[in-house]
PDB file of all heavy atoms in Angstrom:
ATOM      1  N   PRO R 131      -1.714  19.807   6.287  1.00 98.00           N
ATOM      2  CA  PRO R 131      -0.572  19.580   7.230  1.00 98.00           C
ATOM      3  C   PRO R 131       0.635  18.918   6.621  1.00 98.00           C
ATOM      4  O   PRO R 131       0.552  18.148   5.639  1.00 98.00           O
ATOM      5  CB  PRO R 131      -1.241  18.672   8.273  1.00 98.00           C
ATOM      6  CG  PRO R 131      -2.335  17.938   7.515  1.00 98.00           C
ATOM      7  CD  PRO R 131      -2.853  18.983   6.548  1.00 98.00           C
ATOM      8  N   ARG R 132       1.725  19.184   7.232  1.00 98.00           N
ATOM      9  CA  ARG R 132       3.034  18.536   6.856  1.00 98.00           C
ATOM     10  C   ARG R 132       3.145  17.316   7.738  1.00 98.00           C
ATOM     11  O   ARG R 132       3.267  17.400   8.975  1.00 98.00           O
ATOM     12  CB  ARG R 132       4.175  19.529   7.106  1.00 98.00           C
ATOM     13  CG  ARG R 132       4.049  20.770   6.238  1.00 98.00           C
ATOM     14  CD  ARG R 132       4.907  21.906   6.794  1.00 98.00           C
ATOM     15  NE  ARG R 132       4.471  22.342   8.135  1.00 98.00           N
ATOM     16  CZ  ARG R 132       5.050  23.315   8.840  1.00 98.00           C
ATOM     17  NH1 ARG R 132       6.065  23.955   8.363  1.00 98.00           N
ATOM     18  NH2 ARG R 132       4.526  23.654  10.051  1.00 98.00           N
ATOM     19  N   ILE R 133       3.168  16.164   7.119  1.00 98.00           N
ATOM     20  CA  ILE R 133       3.115  14.870   7.848  1.00 98.00           C
ATOM     21  C   ILE R 133       4.394  14.115   7.570  1.00 98.00           C
ATOM     22  O   ILE R 133       4.885  14.079   6.437  1.00 98.00           O
ATOM     23  CB  ILE R 133       1.883  14.064   7.386  1.00 98.00           C
ATOM     24  CG1 ILE R 133       0.591  14.821   7.673  1.00 98.00           C
ATOM     25  CG2 ILE R 133       1.863  12.701   8.085  1.00 98.00           C
ATOM     26  CD1 ILE R 133      -0.658  14.194   7.029  1.00 98.00           C
ATOM     27  N   LEU R 134       4.913  13.519   8.646  1.00 98.00           N
ATOM     28  CA  LEU R 134       6.109  12.644   8.527  1.00 98.00           C
ATOM     29  C   LEU R 134       5.701  11.274   9.077  1.00 98.00           C
ATOM     30  O   LEU R 134       5.295  11.128  10.194  1.00 98.00           O
ATOM     31  CB  LEU R 134       7.252  13.252   9.364  1.00 98.00           C
ATOM     32  CG  LEU R 134       8.586  12.471   9.360  1.00 98.00           C
ATOM     33  CD1 LEU R 134       9.238  12.517   7.975  1.00 98.00           C
ATOM     34  CD2 LEU R 134       9.546  13.020  10.390  1.00 98.00           C
ATOM     35  N   ASP R 135       5.865  10.210   8.231  1.00 98.00           N
ATOM     36  CA  ASP R 135       5.570   8.850   8.566  1.00 98.00           C
ATOM     37  C   ASP R 135       6.895   8.119   8.730  1.00 98.00           C
ATOM     38  O   ASP R 135       7.588   7.845   7.694  1.00 98.00           O
ATOM     39  CB  ASP R 135       4.661   8.215   7.539  1.00 98.00           C
ATOM     40  CG  ASP R 135       4.263   6.769   7.939  1.00 98.00           C
ATOM     41  OD1 ASP R 135       4.630   6.332   9.000  1.00 98.00           O
ATOM     42  OD2 ASP R 135       3.550   6.187   7.114  1.00 98.00           O
ATOM     43  N   VAL R 136       7.280   7.866   9.968  1.00 98.00           N
ATOM     44  CA  VAL R 136       8.622   7.201  10.282  1.00 98.00           C
ATOM     45  C   VAL R 136       8.441   5.698  10.264  1.00 98.00           C
ATOM     46  O   VAL R 136       7.600   5.166  10.993  1.00 98.00           O
ATOM     47  CB  VAL R 136       9.129   7.712  11.611  1.00 98.00           C
ATOM     48  CG1 VAL R 136      10.487   7.057  11.898  1.00 98.00           C
ATOM     49  CG2 VAL R 136       9.204   9.244  11.629  1.00 98.00           C
ATOM     50  N   GLY R 137       9.252   5.002   9.443  1.00 96.00           N
ATOM     51  CA  GLY R 137       9.120   3.594   9.299  1.00 96.00           C
ATOM     52  C   GLY R 137       7.844   3.322   8.455  1.00 96.00           C
ATOM     53  O   GLY R 137       7.045   2.482   8.777  1.00 96.00           O
ATOM     54  N   CYS R 138       7.708   3.951   7.343  1.00 97.00           N
ATOM     55  CA  CYS R 138       6.529   4.025   6.532  1.00 97.00           C
ATOM     56  C   CYS R 138       6.185   2.714   5.814  1.00 97.00           C
ATOM     57  O   CYS R 138       5.069   2.493   5.456  1.00 97.00           O
ATOM     58  CB  CYS R 138       6.541   5.167   5.552  1.00 97.00           C
ATOM     59  SG  CYS R 138       7.848   5.015   4.284  1.00 97.00           S
ATOM     60  N   GLY R 139       7.151   1.874   5.629  1.00 95.00           N
ATOM     61  CA  GLY R 139       6.944   0.643   4.824  1.00 95.00           C
ATOM     62  C   GLY R 139       6.429   1.019   3.434  1.00 95.00           C
ATOM     63  O   GLY R 139       6.892   1.984   2.811  1.00 95.00           O
ATOM     64  N   THR R 140       5.398   0.314   2.993  1.00 95.00           N
ATOM     65  CA  THR R 140       4.865   0.595   1.650  1.00 95.00           C
ATOM     66  C   THR R 140       3.703   1.606   1.641  1.00 95.00           C
ATOM     67  O   THR R 140       3.012   1.718   0.659  1.00 95.00           O
ATOM     68  CB  THR R 140       4.382  -0.749   0.999  1.00 95.00           C
ATOM     69  OG1 THR R 140       3.390  -1.349   1.847  1.00 95.00           O
ATOM     70  CG2 THR R 140       5.512  -1.691   0.795  1.00 95.00           C
ATOM     71  N   GLY R 141       3.528   2.191   2.782  1.00 97.00           N
ATOM     72  CA  GLY R 141       2.544   3.319   2.891  1.00 97.00           C
ATOM     73  C   GLY R 141       1.141   2.996   3.346  1.00 97.00           C
ATOM     74  O   GLY R 141       0.195   3.706   2.964  1.00 97.00           O
ATOM     75  N   PRO R 142       0.896   1.967   4.161  1.00 97.00           N
ATOM     76  CA  PRO R 142      -0.452   1.709   4.670  1.00 97.00           C
ATOM     77  C   PRO R 142      -1.000   2.832   5.512  1.00 97.00           C
ATOM     78  O   PRO R 142      -2.208   3.008   5.622  1.00 97.00           O
ATOM     79  CB  PRO R 142      -0.294   0.421   5.508  1.00 97.00           C
ATOM     80  CG  PRO R 142       1.175   0.363   5.902  1.00 97.00           C
ATOM     81  CD  PRO R 142       1.892   0.942   4.758  1.00 97.00           C
ATOM     82  N   ALA R 143      -0.148   3.712   6.084  1.00 98.00           N
ATOM     83  CA  ALA R 143      -0.596   4.879   6.796  1.00 98.00           C
ATOM     84  C   ALA R 143      -0.339   6.124   5.974  1.00 98.00           C
ATOM     85  O   ALA R 143      -1.220   7.013   5.875  1.00 98.00           O
ATOM     86  CB  ALA R 143       0.076   5.022   8.170  1.00 98.00           C
ATOM     87  N   ALA R 144       0.848   6.227   5.350  1.00 98.00           N
ATOM     88  CA  ALA R 144       1.196   7.465   4.631  1.00 98.00           C
ATOM     89  C   ALA R 144       0.177   7.892   3.595  1.00 98.00           C
ATOM     90  O   ALA R 144      -0.186   9.033   3.510  1.00 98.00           O
ATOM     91  CB  ALA R 144       2.583   7.301   4.035  1.00 98.00           C
ATOM     92  N   VAL R 145      -0.198   6.895   2.785  1.00 98.00           N
ATOM     93  CA  VAL R 145      -1.127   7.204   1.686  1.00 98.00           C
ATOM     94  C   VAL R 145      -2.500   7.592   2.169  1.00 98.00           C
ATOM     95  O   VAL R 145      -3.054   8.641   1.794  1.00 98.00           O
ATOM     96  CB  VAL R 145      -1.155   6.058   0.643  1.00 98.00           C
ATOM     97  CG1 VAL R 145      -2.280   6.345  -0.369  1.00 98.00           C
ATOM     98  CG2 VAL R 145       0.216   5.933  -0.054  1.00 98.00           C
ATOM     99  N   PRO R 146      -3.117   6.854   3.087  1.00 98.00           N
ATOM    100  CA  PRO R 146      -4.415   7.218   3.624  1.00 98.00           C
ATOM    101  C   PRO R 146      -4.372   8.577   4.316  1.00 98.00           C
ATOM    102  O   PRO R 146      -5.316   9.315   4.328  1.00 98.00           O
ATOM    103  CB  PRO R 146      -4.800   6.120   4.617  1.00 98.00           C
ATOM    104  CG  PRO R 146      -4.091   4.924   4.050  1.00 98.00           C
ATOM    105  CD  PRO R 146      -2.776   5.458   3.513  1.00 98.00           C
ATOM    106  N   LEU R 147      -3.262   8.869   5.005  1.00 98.00           N
ATOM    107  CA  LEU R 147      -3.134  10.198   5.642  1.00 98.00           C
ATOM    108  C   LEU R 147      -3.083  11.304   4.640  1.00 98.00           C
ATOM    109  O   LEU R 147      -3.721  12.331   4.871  1.00 98.00           O
ATOM    110  CB  LEU R 147      -1.846  10.239   6.504  1.00 98.00           C
ATOM    111  CG  LEU R 147      -1.821   9.412   7.801  1.00 98.00           C
ATOM    112  CD1 LEU R 147      -0.471   9.338   8.423  1.00 98.00           C
ATOM    113  CD2 LEU R 147      -2.862  10.029   8.817  1.00 98.00           C
ATOM    114  N   ALA R 148      -2.458  11.088   3.555  1.00 98.00           N
ATOM    115  CA  ALA R 148      -2.454  12.122   2.459  1.00 98.00           C
ATOM    116  C   ALA R 148      -3.890  12.323   1.965  1.00 98.00           C
ATOM    117  O   ALA R 148      -4.329  13.466   1.740  1.00 98.00           O
ATOM    118  CB  ALA R 148      -1.516  11.741   1.332  1.00 98.00           C
ATOM    119  N   VAL R 149      -4.570  11.170   1.742  1.00 98.00           N
ATOM    120  CA  VAL R 149      -5.934  11.255   1.194  1.00 98.00           C
ATOM    121  C   VAL R 149      -6.898  11.964   2.179  1.00 98.00           C
ATOM    122  O   VAL R 149      -7.691  12.837   1.867  1.00 98.00           O
ATOM    123  CB  VAL R 149      -6.486   9.862   0.887  1.00 98.00           C
ATOM    124  CG1 VAL R 149      -7.989   9.880   0.515  1.00 98.00           C
ATOM    125  CG2 VAL R 149      -5.675   9.248  -0.243  1.00 98.00           C
ATOM    126  N   ALA R 150      -6.754  11.613   3.544  1.00 97.00           N
ATOM    127  CA  ALA R 150      -7.679  12.090   4.516  1.00 97.00           C
ATOM    128  C   ALA R 150      -7.448  13.546   4.901  1.00 97.00           C
ATOM    129  O   ALA R 150      -8.440  14.252   5.192  1.00 97.00           O
ATOM    130  CB  ALA R 150      -7.584  11.201   5.785  1.00 97.00           C
ATOM    131  N   THR R 151      -6.224  14.007   4.835  1.00 97.00           N
ATOM    132  CA  THR R 151      -5.927  15.356   5.323  1.00 97.00           C
ATOM    133  C   THR R 151      -5.721  16.394   4.278  1.00 97.00           C
ATOM    134  O   THR R 151      -5.774  17.564   4.540  1.00 97.00           O
ATOM    135  CB  THR R 151      -4.626  15.316   6.202  1.00 97.00           C
ATOM    136  OG1 THR R 151      -3.509  15.033   5.421  1.00 97.00           O
ATOM    137  CG2 THR R 151      -4.761  14.311   7.346  1.00 97.00           C
ATOM    138  N   GLY R 152      -5.407  15.944   3.061  1.00 97.00           N
ATOM    139  CA  GLY R 152      -5.055  16.892   1.956  1.00 97.00           C
ATOM    140  C   GLY R 152      -3.654  17.425   2.136  1.00 97.00           C
ATOM    141  O   GLY R 152      -3.271  18.361   1.439  1.00 97.00           O
ATOM    142  N   GLY R 153      -2.902  16.884   3.100  1.00 98.00           N
ATOM    143  CA  GLY R 153      -1.586  17.380   3.426  1.00 98.00           C
ATOM    144  C   GLY R 153      -0.528  16.680   2.567  1.00 98.00           C
ATOM    145  O   GLY R 153      -0.779  15.848   1.687  1.00 98.00           O
ATOM    146  N   THR R 154       0.707  17.076   2.821  1.00 98.00           N
ATOM    147  CA  THR R 154       1.909  16.466   2.159  1.00 98.00           C
ATOM    148  C   THR R 154       2.526  15.493   3.200  1.00 98.00           C
ATOM    149  O   THR R 154       2.612  15.766   4.352  1.00 98.00           O
ATOM    150  CB  THR R 154       2.917  17.487   1.759  1.00 98.00           C
ATOM    151  OG1 THR R 154       3.333  18.230   2.919  1.00 98.00           O
ATOM    152  CG2 THR R 154       2.323  18.417   0.683  1.00 98.00           C
ATOM    153  N   VAL R 155       2.919  14.311   2.657  1.00 98.00           N
ATOM    154  CA  VAL R 155       3.439  13.267   3.540  1.00 98.00           C
ATOM    155  C   VAL R 155       4.836  12.881   3.078  1.00 98.00           C
ATOM    156  O   VAL R 155       5.069  12.636   1.862  1.00 98.00           O
ATOM    157  CB  VAL R 155       2.549  12.001   3.517  1.00 98.00           C
ATOM    158  CG1 VAL R 155       3.146  10.983   4.441  1.00 98.00           C
ATOM    159  CG2 VAL R 155       1.118  12.372   3.919  1.00 98.00           C
ATOM    160  N   THR R 156       5.793  12.833   3.958  1.00 98.00           N
ATOM    161  CA  THR R 156       7.113  12.326   3.739  1.00 98.00           C
ATOM    162  C   THR R 156       7.205  11.014   4.495  1.00 98.00           C
ATOM    163  O   THR R 156       7.088  10.994   5.687  1.00 98.00           O
ATOM    164  CB  THR R 156       8.244  13.229   4.212  1.00 98.00           C
ATOM    165  OG1 THR R 156       8.113  14.512   3.531  1.00 98.00           O
ATOM    166  CG2 THR R 156       9.599  12.663   3.950  1.00 98.00           C
ATOM    167  N   GLY R 157       7.352   9.918   3.692  1.00 98.00           N
ATOM    168  CA  GLY R 157       7.564   8.617   4.279  1.00 98.00           C
ATOM    169  C   GLY R 157       9.026   8.254   4.366  1.00 98.00           C
ATOM    170  O   GLY R 157       9.701   8.406   3.389  1.00 98.00           O
ATOM    171  N   VAL R 158       9.472   7.857   5.589  1.00 98.00           N
ATOM    172  CA  VAL R 158      10.897   7.530   5.762  1.00 98.00           C
ATOM    173  C   VAL R 158      11.004   6.052   6.046  1.00 98.00           C
ATOM    174  O   VAL R 158      10.350   5.513   6.961  1.00 98.00           O
ATOM    175  CB  VAL R 158      11.456   8.351   6.955  1.00 98.00           C
ATOM    176  CG1 VAL R 158      12.918   7.952   7.197  1.00 98.00           C
ATOM    177  CG2 VAL R 158      11.354   9.858   6.661  1.00 98.00           C
ATOM    178  N   ASP R 159      11.902   5.398   5.354  1.00 96.00           N
ATOM    179  CA  ASP R 159      12.188   3.933   5.572  1.00 96.00           C
ATOM    180  C   ASP R 159      13.624   3.676   4.954  1.00 96.00           C
ATOM    181  O   ASP R 159      14.031   4.380   4.018  1.00 96.00           O
ATOM    182  CB  ASP R 159      11.204   3.088   4.927  1.00 96.00           C
ATOM    183  CG  ASP R 159      11.067   1.732   5.624  1.00 96.00           C
ATOM    184  OD1 ASP R 159      11.993   0.939   5.614  1.00 96.00           O
ATOM    185  OD2 ASP R 159       9.987   1.469   6.189  1.00 96.00           O
ATOM    186  N   LEU R 160      14.331   2.665   5.534  1.00 93.00           N
ATOM    187  CA  LEU R 160      15.658   2.392   5.018  1.00 93.00           C
ATOM    188  C   LEU R 160      15.577   1.340   3.905  1.00 93.00           C
ATOM    189  O   LEU R 160      16.555   1.148   3.211  1.00 93.00           O
ATOM    190  CB  LEU R 160      16.494   1.848   6.174  1.00 93.00           C
ATOM    191  CG  LEU R 160      17.212   2.922   7.047  1.00 93.00           C
ATOM    192  CD1 LEU R 160      17.926   2.223   8.215  1.00 93.00           C
ATOM    193  CD2 LEU R 160      18.208   3.763   6.173  1.00 93.00           C
ATOM    194  N   HIS R 161      14.429   0.612   3.810  1.00 92.00           N
ATOM    195  CA  HIS R 161      14.387  -0.486   2.856  1.00 92.00           C
ATOM    196  C   HIS R 161      13.804   0.064   1.558  1.00 92.00           C
ATOM    197  O   HIS R 161      12.652   0.415   1.409  1.00 92.00           O
ATOM    198  CB  HIS R 161      13.416  -1.548   3.413  1.00 92.00           C
ATOM    199  CG  HIS R 161      13.469  -2.845   2.661  1.00 92.00           C
ATOM    200  ND1 HIS R 161      14.582  -3.523   2.304  1.00 92.00           N
ATOM    201  CD2 HIS R 161      12.440  -3.566   2.099  1.00 92.00           C
ATOM    202  CE1 HIS R 161      14.308  -4.647   1.688  1.00 92.00           C
ATOM    203  NE2 HIS R 161      13.028  -4.704   1.485  1.00 92.00           N
ATOM    204  N   GLU R 162      14.647   0.150   0.552  1.00 93.00           N
ATOM    205  CA  GLU R 162      14.283   0.789  -0.712  1.00 93.00           C
ATOM    206  C   GLU R 162      13.090   0.091  -1.410  1.00 93.00           C
ATOM    207  O   GLU R 162      12.210   0.848  -1.961  1.00 93.00           O
ATOM    208  CB  GLU R 162      15.501   0.805  -1.678  1.00 93.00           C
ATOM    209  CG  GLU R 162      16.697   1.661  -1.232  1.00 93.00           C
ATOM    210  CD  GLU R 162      16.474   3.111  -1.542  1.00 93.00           C
ATOM    211  OE1 GLU R 162      15.433   3.491  -2.038  1.00 93.00           O
ATOM    212  OE2 GLU R 162      17.390   3.896  -1.260  1.00 93.00           O
TER     213      GLU R 162
END
């Protein structure tokens, strides 16, 4: 699946979602 994590921070959801689903994740945040 194509996953979008809005307000991703350092990836506490984005990375596990990529691991669990095998999908691609775009994490969006304003804080570099």
Side-chain angles (χ1 to χ4, degrees):
R132 299 160 296 180
I133 301 170
L134 180 67
D135 184 1
V136 180
C138 65
T140 58
V145 172
L147 286 171
V149 172
T151 67
T154 58
V155 182
T156 300
V158 177
D159 207 294
L160 277 174
H161 191 52
E162 294 279 3

